[in-house]
Amino acid sequence: MVISPGKLYIRAYRLGHGDCFLIGYKATKNSTARHMLIDCGYKKKSTSSSLCSIEEAVADIHQTCNGLLDVVVVTHEHEDHLSGFGSGKNFRFENFTIAELWLAWTEDPRDPIADMWRQAKDDDIVVLGRALQKAKSLQLSESQESFLSEYLN
């Protein structure tokens, strides 16, 4: 992709229910283009339509930025914002150079408010898990079961 000097471009990847945005900018004709990736995820059980697979999106991002991302921003830790990065052997960005990683303040282990928030969130997850187990013991319609499975698992 040719980036015009002084122009900002934003590419949104439609991966279904998820977020993945590549922002590029080139200040002058002779300057190097800079790229920022904001999130890279999709909800795996989503029924939303997608225009490309996560593999196609990552390949396009790599080609567009020549494998160099100046900044990767992770807005928050939900599946539809993170799952596209992959993990372990399936980490999809191993062939990238990432100059800076920006995480949400909620991920800072030194922030006491973030620490309290994470603890409360963990407590909520336990409560939701118990609610899901209780709901599974009830006589639910197929649509109710589908709803619970999609949003509570």
Side-chain angles (χ1 to χ4, degrees), residues 63-136:
Q63 180 181 2
T64 301
C65 70
N66 251 357
L68 171 61
L69 289 166
D70 296 283
V71 179
V72 172
V73 179
V74 177
T75 59
H76 61 285
E77 60 171 270
H78 284 167
E79 176 184 34
D80 57 327
H81 293 260
L82 290 177
S83 63
F85 290 107
S87 63
K89 293 180 190 176
N90 297 323
F91 182 62
R92 294 182 180 97
F93 285 78
E94 66 185 357
N95 295 322
F96 284 78
T97 299
I98 299 172
E100 291 187 39
L101 175 62
W102 296 357
L103 301 173
W105 68 272
T106 54
E107 302 309 309
D108 185 349
R110 298 164 298 171
D111 188 310
I113 295 172
D115 196 43
M116 285 177 11
W117 182 85
R118 279 191 302 277
Q119 182 60 49
K121 184 179 130 197
D122 289 346
D123 293 346
D124 289 346
I125 289 170
V126 169
V127 169
L128 284 172
R130 288 181 185 149
L132 178 59
Q133 291 305 324
K134 177 68 176 168
K136 285 182 175 179

Side-chain angles (χ1 to χ4, degrees), residues 2-151:
V2 176
I3 302 173
S4 301
K7 302 285 184 183
L8 180 76
Y9 78 88
I10 301 172
R11 183 174 291 171
Y13 294 90
R14 187 168 170 191
L15 302 170
H17 177 140
D19 288 315
C20 183
F21 301 96
L22 182 65
I23 300 172
Y25 179 77
K26 186 173 182 177
T28 65
K29 182 179 179 182
N30 297 322
S31 66
T32 303
R34 304 286 185 180
H35 294 92
M36 173 187 280
L37 180 65
I38 302 175
D39 291 337
C40 185
Y42 61 100
K43 194 165 185 173
K44 294 176 182 126
K45 296 180 182 179
S46 172
T47 56
S48 300
S49 63
S50 63
L51 295 180
C52 67
S53 70
I54 187 61
E55 290 77 14
E56 291 169 325
V58 172
D60 186 73
I61 293 166
H62 193 279
Q63 180 181 2
T64 301
C65 70
N66 251 357
L68 171 61
L69 289 166
D70 296 283
V71 179
V72 172
V73 179
V74 177
T75 59
H76 61 285
E77 60 171 270
H78 284 167
E79 176 184 34
D80 57 327
H81 293 260
L82 290 177
S83 63
F85 290 107
S87 63
K89 293 180 190 176
N90 297 323
F91 182 62
R92 294 182 180 97
F93 285 78
E94 66 185 357
N95 295 322
F96 284 78
T97 299
I98 299 172
E100 291 187 39
L101 175 62
W102 296 357
L103 301 173
W105 68 272
T106 54
E107 302 309 309
D108 185 349
R110 298 164 298 171
D111 188 310
I113 295 172
D115 196 43
M116 285 177 11
W117 182 85
R118 279 191 302 277
Q119 182 60 49
K121 184 179 130 197
D122 289 346
D123 293 346
D124 289 346
I125 289 170
V126 169
V127 169
L128 284 172
R130 288 181 185 149
L132 178 59
Q133 291 305 324
K134 177 68 176 168
K136 285 182 175 179
S137 70
L138 302 173
Q139 295 292 340
L140 299 176
S141 70
E142 202 171 297
S143 63
Q144 289 171 321
E145 274 190 36
S146 176
F147 172 82
L148 285 173
S149 293
E150 184 173 342
Y151 292 102

